[in-house]
Amino acid sequence: MELIKVAVVFFVILAVLNRRLPLYAGMLAGTAVTLALFAIPPAAFAAAAAKALTGWDTWDVVLAMYVISVLQVSLDHRRHLENAQRAMAGLFHDQRLNAALASVFIGTMPAAPAVTICGRIIDNMAGDHLTPAEKAACASFFRHIPEGFLPTFSIILIVTSLSGVPMASFVAVMLPMAAVLVAIGFAVYLRRIPRSVPERAAGKAESLRLLLRSLWTIAAIIAVILIFGLPASLATALVTAVNFRTDRFSPSEVRRTLVRGFDWKITVGMISIFVFKEVLVATGVIDRLPDYFARLPIPTFLTLALLFFFGTLVGSSTAAGTAFTPLAFAALPGGASLLVLLVGFSWGASQLSPTHLCMAVACQDFGVPMTAFIRKTILPVLIFLVVITGYYLLLTALGL
């Protein structure tokens, strides 16, 4: 019964967003329906809202959203993204591969608003060959590939720690699935786009120098996060400030860029997502998911995979990883192969969850309804879940 209530809540959110109303309208509607269906008392709602509004995670995302938006505006202003695409054309001679790899590289930055930079690259490359919904889905898909295996993301740190699987083992076993994701994204989204290599692309050495000049800010942000452990918002702010200096922005240009980088609708929408997620957690439905799935007449490994999938869909990948990883490894002895399966299903669910920040940002950026975005994302996610299930069965058959 509670899962039906959750389905009703998500249906309401999607129905509101499908009318092209702002993100915060959908989240507020979902919060109101959750409060009503689960009969959450005012005191519990106040506590959940206060936790969301005072938590650093909320404001780190809000700040990261703003500073990355400012960075994107500054890169556009100096045509760095356009130059990066020209540079990659000289390196790989295929604009589709260029855009895919650039989005994967940018996706290594653990901040939801990075999808806007990927969106700009995909939009410039695809032209009229993809619809806005396909562009949004494509940008989000490639941007999230690193989230499935890189230790710059909290979910990977959490599940490897709780499972006892060495980080190196997990990454090594997961890397083939990252390659599979690139292939799936290419087949579903990019194969209809012409290769369209410039007739006189620059040489590889010149292209490499141009690429470094164009995207050094992204590389620097990732390095600062990894080396110094700074939050994404602070790391991006520091690098953006340096970029203003190196690109010789005048004071008036800096002011215009800072103003253009702010969008109050997106800011309120981000905050409303965190409030909704805390209210949903307060219902206790995530804690009761193991009981629901334990009754299903399916193999244990698939039960655990679905538990991670729906736990991520309802809550978040971090919540699912924290709550269910100890349970999974107690129920089914396994090493890196089991963890790859669980993380893969969690990754797939996060690409379809209405509470996923990147989805909201991508939909807002391309002006498309969330239902249209999900329709363009379901197929590659389903293909990936089938492939990773087969991969798990192969690994276990080989005793890995």
Side-chain angles (χ1 to χ4, degrees), residues 148-152 156-157 159-161 163-176 335-337 339-340 391:
F149 68 93
L150 277 187
T152 51
I156 305 303
L157 296 173
V159 297
T160 52
S161 174
S163 66
V165 174
M167 179 69 72
S169 299
F170 169 78
V171 172
V173 177
M174 192 62 168
L175 274 176
S337 58
L339 193 60
V340 162
Y391 184 56

Coordinates of all heavy atoms in Angstrom, one line a residue, residues 148-152 156-157 159-161 163-176 335-337 339-340 391:
G148 N 29.2 6.2 -11.9 CA 29.0 4.8 -11.6 C 30.3 4.1 -11.1 O 30.2 2.9 -10.7
F149 N 31.5 4.8 -11.2 CA 32.7 4.1 -10.8 C 33.8 5.0 -10.2 O 34.7 4.4 -9.5 CB 33.3 3.3 -12.0 CG 33.9 4.2 -13.1 CD1 35.2 4.6 -13.1 CD2 33.0 4.7 -14.1 CE1 35.7 5.4 -14.1 CE2 33.5 5.6 -15.1 CZ 34.9 5.9 -15.1
L150 N 33.7 6.3 -10.3 CA 34.8 7.1 -9.8 C 34.6 7.4 -8.3 O 33.5 7.7 -7.8 CB 34.8 8.4 -10.5 CG 35.5 8.5 -11.9 CD1 35.6 9.9 -12.4 CD2 36.9 7.9 -11.8
P151 N 35.7 7.4 -7.5 CA 35.7 7.6 -6.1 C 35.5 9.1 -5.8 O 35.7 9.5 -4.6 CB 37.0 7.1 -5.6 CG 37.9 7.1 -6.8 CD 37.1 6.9 -8.0
T152 N 35.3 10.0 -6.8 CA 35.0 11.4 -6.5 C 33.5 11.5 -6.0 O 33.1 12.6 -5.6 CB 35.2 12.3 -7.7 OG1 34.6 11.7 -8.8 CG2 36.7 12.4 -8.0
I156 N 30.1 5.9 -4.3 CA 31.2 4.9 -4.5 C 32.0 4.7 -3.2 O 32.3 3.6 -2.8 CB 32.1 5.3 -5.7 CG1 31.2 5.5 -6.9 CG2 33.1 4.2 -5.9 CD1 30.4 4.3 -7.3
L157 N 32.3 5.8 -2.5 CA 33.0 5.8 -1.3 C 32.3 5.0 -0.2 O 32.8 4.2 0.5 CB 33.3 7.2 -0.8 CG 34.3 8.0 -1.7 CD1 34.3 9.5 -1.2 CD2 35.6 7.4 -1.7
V159 N 29.7 2.7 -0.6 CA 29.4 1.2 -0.8 C 30.7 0.4 -0.7 O 30.7 -0.7 -0.2 CB 28.7 1.0 -2.1 CG1 27.3 1.6 -2.1 CG2 29.5 1.5 -3.3
T160 N 31.9 1.0 -1.2 CA 33.1 0.2 -1.1 C 33.5 0.1 0.4 O 34.0 -1.0 0.8 CB 34.2 0.9 -1.9 OG1 34.3 2.3 -1.5 CG2 34.0 0.7 -3.4
S161 N 33.3 1.1 1.2 CA 33.6 1.1 2.6 C 32.7 0.1 3.4 O 33.2 -0.7 4.1 CB 33.5 2.5 3.2 OG 33.7 2.4 4.6
S163 N 31.0 -2.4 2.2 CA 31.0 -3.8 1.7 C 32.3 -4.5 1.9 O 32.4 -5.7 1.9 CB 30.7 -3.8 0.2 OG 31.8 -3.1 -0.6
G164 N 33.4 -3.7 2.1 CA 34.7 -4.2 2.3 C 35.4 -4.6 1.0 O 36.5 -5.1 1.0
V165 N 34.8 -4.2 -0.1 CA 35.4 -4.5 -1.4 C 36.5 -3.4 -1.7 O 36.1 -2.2 -1.6 CB 34.3 -4.4 -2.6 CG1 35.0 -4.6 -3.9 CG2 33.3 -5.6 -2.4
P166 N 37.7 -3.7 -2.0 CA 38.7 -2.7 -2.3 C 38.3 -1.8 -3.4 O 37.7 -2.3 -4.4 CB 40.0 -3.6 -2.6 CG 39.7 -4.9 -2.0 CD 38.2 -5.1 -2.1
M167 N 38.6 -0.5 -3.3 CA 38.2 0.4 -4.3 C 38.8 0.0 -5.7 O 38.1 0.1 -6.7 CB 38.7 1.8 -3.9 CG 38.4 2.9 -4.9 SD 36.6 3.2 -5.1 CE 36.4 4.1 -3.5
A168 N 40.1 -0.4 -5.7 CA 40.8 -0.7 -6.9 C 40.0 -1.9 -7.6 O 39.9 -1.9 -8.9 CB 42.2 -1.1 -6.7
S169 N 39.6 -2.9 -6.8 CA 38.9 -4.0 -7.4 C 37.6 -3.6 -8.0 O 37.2 -4.1 -9.1 CB 38.7 -5.1 -6.3 OG 39.9 -5.6 -5.8
F170 N 36.8 -2.8 -7.3 CA 35.6 -2.4 -7.8 C 35.7 -1.6 -9.1 O 35.0 -1.8 -10.1 CB 34.9 -1.5 -6.7 CG 33.6 -0.8 -7.3 CD1 32.4 -1.5 -7.4 CD2 33.7 0.6 -7.6 CE1 31.3 -0.8 -8.0 CE2 32.6 1.2 -8.2 CZ 31.4 0.5 -8.3
V171 N 36.6 -0.6 -9.1 CA 36.8 0.2 -10.3 C 37.2 -0.6 -11.5 O 36.7 -0.5 -12.6 CB 37.9 1.3 -10.0 CG1 38.2 2.1 -11.3 CG2 37.3 2.3 -9.0
A172 N 38.1 -1.6 -11.3 CA 38.6 -2.5 -12.3 C 37.5 -3.3 -12.9 O 37.4 -3.4 -14.2 CB 39.7 -3.4 -11.8
V173 N 36.6 -3.8 -12.1 CA 35.5 -4.6 -12.6 C 34.4 -3.8 -13.2 O 33.7 -4.2 -14.1 CB 34.9 -5.5 -11.4 CG1 33.7 -6.3 -11.9 CG2 36.0 -6.4 -10.9
M174 N 34.2 -2.5 -12.7 CA 33.2 -1.6 -13.2 C 33.6 -0.9 -14.5 O 32.7 -0.6 -15.3 CB 32.8 -0.6 -12.2 CG 31.6 0.2 -12.5 SD 30.1 -0.9 -12.5 CE 28.8 0.3 -12.5
L175 N 34.8 -0.8 -14.8 CA 35.3 -0.1 -16.0 C 34.7 -0.6 -17.3 O 34.3 0.2 -18.2 CB 36.8 0.0 -16.1 CG 37.5 1.1 -15.3 CD1 39.0 1.0 -15.4 CD2 37.0 2.5 -15.9
P176 N 34.6 -1.9 -17.5 CA 33.9 -2.4 -18.8 C 32.5 -1.9 -18.9 O 32.0 -1.7 -20.0 CB 34.0 -3.9 -18.6 CG 35.2 -4.2 -17.7 CD 35.2 -3.1 -16.8
G335 N 31.7 -10.4 -3.8 CA 32.8 -9.4 -3.8 C 32.4 -8.2 -4.8 O 31.3 -7.7 -4.8
A336 N 33.4 -7.9 -5.6 CA 33.2 -6.8 -6.5 C 32.1 -7.0 -7.5 O 31.4 -6.1 -7.9 CB 34.5 -6.6 -7.3
S337 N 31.9 -8.3 -7.9 CA 30.8 -8.6 -8.9 C 29.4 -8.2 -8.4 O 28.6 -7.6 -9.1 CB 30.8 -10.0 -9.3 OG 30.6 -10.9 -8.2
L339 N 28.8 -6.0 -6.0 CA 28.8 -4.5 -5.8 C 28.6 -3.8 -7.1 O 27.8 -2.8 -7.2 CB 30.1 -4.1 -5.1 CG 30.0 -2.6 -4.6 CD1 29.0 -2.5 -3.5 CD2 31.4 -2.2 -4.0
V340 N 29.2 -4.3 -8.1 CA 29.0 -3.7 -9.5 C 27.5 -3.8 -9.9 O 26.9 -2.9 -10.4 CB 29.9 -4.4 -10.5 CG1 29.4 -4.2 -11.9 CG2 31.3 -4.0 -10.4
Y391 N 26.4 -9.5 -17.1 CA 27.8 -9.3 -16.7 C 28.0 -9.9 -15.3 O 29.0 -10.7 -15.1 CB 28.1 -7.9 -16.7 CG 29.6 -7.5 -16.4 CD1 30.6 -8.1 -17.1 CD2 29.9 -6.6 -15.4 CE1 31.9 -7.7 -16.8 CE2 31.2 -6.2 -15.1 CZ 32.2 -6.8 -15.8 OH 33.5 -6.5 -15.6

